[in-house]
Amino acid sequence: MRFYRATRFLFPESLRMRMFAICFVGTHVPLLAFAAWQFGSGAADWEAVWVLLGATLIGTAFTLFAIDGMLAPVRMATNAVAALERDQLAALATVRGNDMLSDLLAGVDRATVATQARIATLDSAAHHDPLTGTWNRRGFLTQTAVAGAGAVAIVDIDWFKTINDLHGHDAGDQVLREFAGFLVRGVRRDDVVARWGGEEFVVYFPGIGEREAAEIIHRLTRRLGAGAIEGPDGMRVSFSAGVVDLDGDQIEAAVVRADAALYAAKRGGRDQVRVGFAHARVG
């Protein structure tokens, strides 16, 4: 490391050029020594000097070319690390052997794979709700950041606090998991379902209006009423919902409007769906 640091004044931005400069000087030492000896003796053999100069230049060119080839795996390793920033995995499988450089590249390959897996795990944890497996609020906003036309629904499990109070939080968590699965299975494949917080879920319905989205949600209320999910000790599970058109708003602004429709459903007696600015009841 001392030599490495000591030579950084030579091409400080390029390790390759630094190595080339050192090799160039090193390969010319015999020529310089021979020329000095010739001139010092007073009997310079110019023919021998030119032959040695030509051989030295050829050897230098070969050495530089060979070193550049030997540095190729190092460039691959550098690109593999840099590729992590682009969510790509550089392939180093072509480099095999038992020397120090091969061991280094194998270590870089393993570190690249492990780091990418860790990044994927952290990204999933940052965007998914650990209890229900649905998107969390951050994940939902990421998924809908470029949302076009469509509708948004806020869904809230009725009397959820009573479930927790009477049967405990483990029972409440089980209801949340079952309800999340029920909701995901009940909407369309391209719809985005997320746990918004507590017992509230949000759904984005791309490409359809609030009335069609409200009908989808209303069908789910009927399925729950028929016993699709059984609460603890046979307790009935129901939900209320508010549905609005996205209507050119940012997704969060539409969620606020859907939340107002949801509260109208709660005030109206729960187990119902309200839609639009007028909070009209569906069904």
Side-chain angles (χ1 to χ4, degrees):
M1 286 299 295
R2 289 181 181 178
F3 184 77
Y4 173 83
R5 288 192 292 267
T7 58
R8 291 200 65 179
F9 72 94
L10 297 169
F11 304 103
E13 301 299 325
S14 174
L15 175 63
R16 183 195 301 180
M17 292 304 299
R18 203 182 318 162
M19 294 180 67
F20 286 178
I22 293 171
C23 290
F24 184 85
V25 172
T27 54
H28 280 74
V29 167
L31 174 63
L32 295 174
F34 179 76
W37 174 72
Q38 288 278 292
F39 289 127
S41 65
D45 185 348
W46 289 107
E47 183 177 354
V49 170
W50 285 112
V51 169
L52 184 58
L53 174 62
T56 300
L57 292 177
I58 293 173
T60 300
F62 172 78
T63 300
L64 297 181
F65 178 80
I67 289 175
D68 190 54
M70 293 293 290
L71 286 174
V74 177
R75 290 195 295 272
M76 292 176 64
T78 302
N79 293 336
V81 175
L84 285 174
E85 299 178 359
R86 303 189 299 271
D87 276 341
Q88 297 172 357
L89 185 60
L92 300 180
T94 56
V95 181
R96 288 289 183 268
N98 297 316
D99 59 15
M100 182 174 64
L101 185 57
S102 296
D103 290 343
L104 170 64
L105 295 180
V108 170
D109 201 15
R110 290 192 299 271
T112 301
V113 172
T115 301
Q116 192 169 65
R118 181 63 173 163
I119 290 173
T121 299
L122 292 174
D123 182 72
S124 178
H127 292 85
H128 287 84
D129 175 53
L131 178 64
T132 63
T134 62
W135 297 106
N136 60 18
R137 184 178 297 214
R138 177 185 295 177
F140 179 80
L141 294 177
T142 299
Q143 291 295 307
T144 58
V146 290
V152 175
I154 286 283
V155 176
D156 184 272
I157 300 174
D158 295 328
W159 308 114
F160 185 74
K161 185 176 183 300
T162 302
I163 296 175
N164 279 335
D165 291 344
L166 293 180
H167 303 282
H169 288 281
D170 287 344
D173 287 349
Q174 182 61 29
V175 170
L176 284 171
R177 283 190 290 266
E178 291 185 17
F179 183 78
F182 168 78
L183 191 56
V184 170
R185 292 189 300 272
V187 298
R188 304 172 306 166
R189 181 185 299 272
D190 294 333
D191 297 335
V192 182
V193 178
R195 186 181 178 193
W196 196 244
E199 67 272 21
E200 277 192 344
F201 293 80
V202 61
V203 186
Y204 167 58
F205 298 90
I208 61 174
E210 60 188 22
R211 280 288 171 182
E212 188 176 350
E215 286 297 335
I216 294 174
I217 295 294
H218 184 56
R219 284 198 296 270
L220 298 183
T221 66
R222 294 199 299 267
R223 291 179 192 172
L224 273 189
I229 297 177
E230 184 175 326
D233 293 339
M235 185 175 182
R236 182 173 179 270
V237 177
S238 66
F239 72 87
S240 304
V243 186
V244 298
D245 276 324
L246 192 56
D247 208 22
D249 280 347
Q250 294 291 326
I251 197 78
E252 291 176 279
V255 169
V256 170
R257 291 190 285 109
D259 202 47
L262 167 65
Y263 277 103
K266 293 287 189 181
R267 290 192 301 270
R270 292 179 169 80
D271 192 17
Q272 58 185 263
V273 180
R274 296 297 182 97
V275 57
F277 283 104
H279 304 160
R281 181 169 179 171
V282 177

